[in-house]
Amino acid sequence: MTAPACCASIARKPTAPHRVAQVMGGLLLVVAGGMQAQEDARTPEADGVPTLERVQAELPDEEAIDLYRFQNPVVVAPSRFAEAYKPGPSLEEISLEHGGLINYGINLGLQKTWWGVKRITGMRPQTQTAVARASPLDEAQLQRAASRCETRSNDCASGQ
């Protein structure tokens, strides 16, 4: 069986050991010649050319970047959307204050469900504003209390 013409170079006999020795010898001559050329190179100081001293560049100390160092000179009045918009907590706040994403999601779902139940059923809020009521004493009782306080040498004013 013969190899096709395109693969004739691959199908040759293995390389003879003397060929490997020739290649290695050639590499050795090239390396040795390069080393000899380096020894023959003249230094600039021998020619009388002045050179500068060695300078080493160092990185400057990095300062912490403060993103809030400058305040925005443009002051924008809040719009009607700014009143209704409330950004959610960051991932750090969710993990530290709310017990993680799963707990936060469950609690948010329960809160929205409770708001819906309160709106559908018309429940009043649990906290209601205080309403000032009239004094339980009538006019005669208030005058009697004031006269008694005066007879006791203003002990009522000191809180006793």
Side-chain angles (χ1 to χ4, degrees):
M1 178 160 109
T2 61
C6 65
C7 300
S9 63
I10 299 173
R12 291 187 192 168
K13 294 180 184 177
T15 309
H18 67 278
R19 179 75 180 145
V20 173
Q22 287 176 349
V23 172
M24 292 301 286
L27 287 174
L28 184 62
L29 286 174
V30 169
V31 171
M35 291 176 69
Q36 182 66 27
Q38 286 179 356
E39 291 175 2
D40 291 341
R42 297 189 319 184
T43 62
E45 294 166 351
D47 292 338
V49 178
T51 59
L52 299 175
E53 294 181 14
R54 180 178 173 188
V55 177
Q56 184 171 358
E58 296 180 358
L59 292 174
D61 294 335
E62 290 188 24
E63 62 182 54
I65 298 174
D66 184 14
L67 298 177
Y68 302 104
R69 174 175 33 195
F70 304 109
Q71 292 185 354
N72 189 0
V74 179
V75 178
V76 180
S79 66
R80 66 181 298 181
F81 299 108
E83 297 171 2
Y85 177 72
K86 182 175 124 182
S90 67
L91 289 177
E92 181 182 10
E93 291 173 346
I94 289 175
S95 64
L96 294 176
E97 296 174 9
H98 300 288
L101 284 172
I102 295 174
N103 285 344
Y104 179 73
I106 290 171
N107 291 336
L108 190 62
L110 290 173
Q111 184 181 29
K112 296 288 184 184
T113 304
W114 178 244
W115 285 348
V117 167
K118 286 189 342 183
R119 189 174 58 189
I120 289 171
T121 60
M123 292 176 65
R124 293 184 312 198
Q126 292 181 353
T127 57
Q128 296 181 6
T129 57
V131 177
R133 61 186 177 103
S135 175
L137 304 175
D138 61 0
E139 234 4 84
Q141 292 173 334
L142 284 174
Q143 287 183 1
R144 191 177 99 190
S147 66
R148 226 182 227 197
C149 189
E150 289 174 5
T151 59
R152 292 190 177 185
S153 68
N154 293 332
D155 286 343
C156 298
S158 63
Q160 293 179 355

